[in-house]
Amino acid sequence: SLSQILKKGDDMRIYTPITPYEPTVPVTQPPVSTEISKKKQKKNKKQKKSVDGNNSVERDSFALAYLRCFLNPVYLTDDAVNDISDEFVNNSSIQLGDFLREDLAEKIEALAIADDTAAGLGQCKIPPSYEIGAVSTGYVSDKRKKPSKSQKSKIGTGEKDDNGRWTVVGPPHKRRYLLYEEQTQTEAQAPTDITINEEYVSSIIAGATSLGSLLAFVNKHLFKSSIFNSYFLPLVTNCKVTGSRGELRRFRPGLDYTVAHFGMLTEEPKLDCTLCFAYENTDDADNREDSDEEEEEAEADDSWEGGDVGGFECYVAAEDDAAEVGASEVYQVATDSDQAESTAQKKTSKKSQGLEDENELLSISAGFNVLSIVVRDEKVMKFVKYINTAAPGSRWDITAEYEFEN
């Protein structure tokens, strides 16, 4: 029916309830015996962000040790948490650069460059097929069904490992990108939160040969952990998240995009968290000097930041007379100078948000190792702009959507 056709491609995934974080070691309160100590305790209480009134970011050593296995330690100080929280409360969005620890980010970049090079993607190369980088051809349904026998017989050039595989997702009138489907593990195979420490994570980083598997590891043990969801996120957003759903995605140059449509509208606001990995041109990186002036010039010339190669995520207000936003622009290529100029004019960076389109609320450039946290209201849609062939490489991301309470 027409209704079924229109709903095809809508996100029907259910939200997984968030597991509350319970500190391993109870936090003890200092004794209060004098009026001076009472005043000091009251002052400290005002200065510190806390979860459920007890576990401040400074005092919960177990949570900090766990987060330090993945995060840049600069984000684990009281000052940083307070600054992030203040900015998020004022703007309902924030972008955190260099979010993951340095060696983890470097490994992700190396694997991403290797995968794009092997697939012949980016830097003005024409993609050899729609299925490049995918293990099986054909679009998976909203229920993530396994490919049919005919699909299995058409094995692509993509990555398949012991933990999962990349598969093309559609339908193309709403989206096209690669989705990493994780293989189900038994409880005996899957390590628990207790086994996660810096030494273990370092060994995973050193031995990683599959980007999908490494991103799945970060997704499972960071984004899906109770410490990140019930401890870190409430600290920096003042929001209590109650449910989540997410994906690992790869947007290939010359192929992939999503389209904003009414099917993504929700009845209540959602909290979007996206950890993006879009590396810069490797040739440019090799020729850079270490001076501050060279770094500023490199930033100014960043093709992702300018938006002329696409890949940015845009939030737009829904209109009653427009069922889809951006659909007419999906297949226009970078060689059209007029289109490239128009896109660059519309594009806004995460540093400056002077919006040209009256329906455009926020536009976030693709960047490397950048976490974006955005409150998306119920009448707001979003899309990832088609990435043209001039992009340095693919946009890879870990995306999570949360139900939350203020």
Side-chain angles (χ1 to χ4, degrees):
S1 67
L2 178 60
S3 176
Q4 290 176 322
I5 293 174
L6 292 176
K7 289 183 179 180
K8 187 175 182 181
D10 290 353
D11 198 339
M12 306 301 291
R13 295 169 298 148
I14 62 173
Y15 291 89
T16 302
I18 298 295
T19 303
Y21 167 61
E22 297 180 1
T24 303
V25 180
V27 178
T28 58
Q29 296 293 340
V32 180
S33 57
T34 66
E35 189 67 25
I36 295 178
S37 62
K38 288 181 181 179
K39 290 181 180 179
K40 185 177 180 181
Q41 187 182 35
K42 185 176 181 181
K43 181 180 179 181
N44 290 341
K45 186 176 180 181
K46 288 183 179 180
Q47 290 178 340
K48 296 178 181 178
K49 299 285 182 181
S50 64
V51 178
D52 297 331
N54 290 321
N55 312 314
S56 78
V57 69
E58 180 180 355
R59 291 189 302 212
D60 197 331
S61 58
F62 178 80
L64 284 176
Y66 187 93
L67 291 171
R68 197 174 289 113
C69 294
F70 299 94
L71 270 56
N72 185 334
V74 72
Y75 291 117
L76 301 178
T77 65
D78 284 343
D79 289 342
V81 167
N82 289 329
D83 290 344
I84 295 169
S85 178
D86 290 341
E87 182 173 344
F88 184 81
V89 169
N90 291 332
N91 301 318
S92 296
S93 67
I94 192 169
Q95 288 79 53
L96 306 178
D98 297 326
F99 186 67
L100 297 184
R101 53 188 269 189
E102 185 176 4
D103 58 340
L104 176 54
E106 288 177 350
K107 187 70 171 189
I108 291 172
E109 182 177 31
L111 292 174
I113 293 173
D115 280 359
D116 282 337
T117 301
L121 293 172
Q123 303 184 34
C124 297
K125 300 184 183 73
I126 303 300
S129 72
Y130 288 119
E131 289 78 28
I132 189 69
V135 170
S136 60
T137 61
Y139 295 103
V140 267
S141 70
D142 299 318
K143 295 182 179 180
R144 312 301 187 221
K145 292 181 179 178
K146 295 181 179 179
S148 64
K149 291 183 179 180
S150 61
Q151 290 173 332
K152 289 181 179 179
S153 65
K154 301 175 182 178
I155 302 300
T157 60
E159 168 192 300
K160 183 177 181 180
D161 53 51
D162 293 337
N163 298 313
R165 63 183 179 185
W166 292 99
T167 313
V168 184
V169 200
H173 68 282
K174 289 184 177 178
R175 61 183 180 177
R176 182 171 63 225
Y177 54 84
L178 296 188
L179 170 73
Y180 188 77
E181 295 182 310
E182 296 182 59
Q183 180 178 333
T184 304
Q185 290 183 319
T186 64
E187 292 184 4
Q189 293 173 316
T192 64
D193 285 358
I194 302 301
T195 66
I196 301 299
N197 52 49
E198 290 197 59
E199 182 179 358
Y200 178 76
V201 174
S202 295
S203 69
I204 294 294
I205 296 171
T209 57
S210 159
L211 182 52
S213 181
L214 183 57
L215 292 179
F217 176 81
V218 174
N219 183 43
K220 179 177 182 179
H221 297 291
L222 180 63
F223 274 79
K224 294 183 178 181
S225 70
S226 59
I227 291 177
F228 184 82
N229 292 327
S230 296
Y231 181 76
F232 182 76
L233 278 181
L235 280 174
V236 298
T237 66
N238 292 322
C239 297
K240 180 182 178 181
V241 295
T242 58
S244 70
R245 61 185 186 184
E247 290 182 324
L248 306 184
R249 307 182 299 183
R250 177 185 182 182
F251 292 85
R252 303 157 298 172
L255 292 171
D256 296 336
Y257 56 87
T258 65
V259 177
H261 57 88
F262 279 171
M264 64 175 56
L265 296 180
T266 60
E267 296 180 357
E268 308 220 341
K270 304 298 180 186
L271 185 69
D272 291 334
C273 287
T274 303
L275 181 56
C276 180
F277 301 96
Y279 60 85
E280 298 175 18
N281 191 301
T282 53
D283 293 335
D284 293 342
D286 292 338
N287 295 327
R288 281 183 203 147
E289 299 293 335
D290 292 331
S291 66
D292 292 339
E293 182 178 352
E294 291 290 341
E295 288 181 0
E296 290 176 1
E297 290 179 0
E299 183 176 355
D301 294 336
D302 185 357
S303 55
W304 294 111
E305 183 72 23
D308 53 341
V309 299
F312 55 88
E313 188 161 43
C314 191
Y315 288 77
V316 293
E319 285 189 350
D320 294 337
D321 59 349
E324 294 186 349
V325 179
S328 62
E329 300 180 21
V330 165
Y331 293 103
Q332 296 187 21
V333 296
T335 52
D336 186 338
S337 59
D338 293 335
Q339 170 64 18
E341 181 180 358
S342 174
T343 305
Q345 290 174 349
K346 286 184 178 180
K347 181 69 188 73
T348 59
S349 71
K350 52 182 174 287
K351 297 179 181 178
S352 175
Q353 296 172 5
L355 303 179
E356 298 289 334
D357 191 329
E358 61 180 5
N359 295 328
E360 187 175 309
L361 305 175
L362 175 67
S363 189
I364 303 173
S365 303
F368 188 82
N369 194 19
V370 179
L371 178 72
S372 301
I373 309 176
V374 180
V375 173
R376 174 165 46 92
D377 291 333
E378 60 271 22
K379 293 186 178 180
V380 174
M381 305 179 291
K382 64 176 179 176
F383 65 92
V384 174
K385 180 67 177 179
Y386 167 78
I387 301 179
N388 63 52
T389 56
S394 298
R395 169 194 166 121
W396 314 71
D397 62 34
I398 303 173
T399 178
E401 179 183 298
Y402 295 94
E403 298 176 311
F404 70 95
E405 300 172 358
N406 286 320

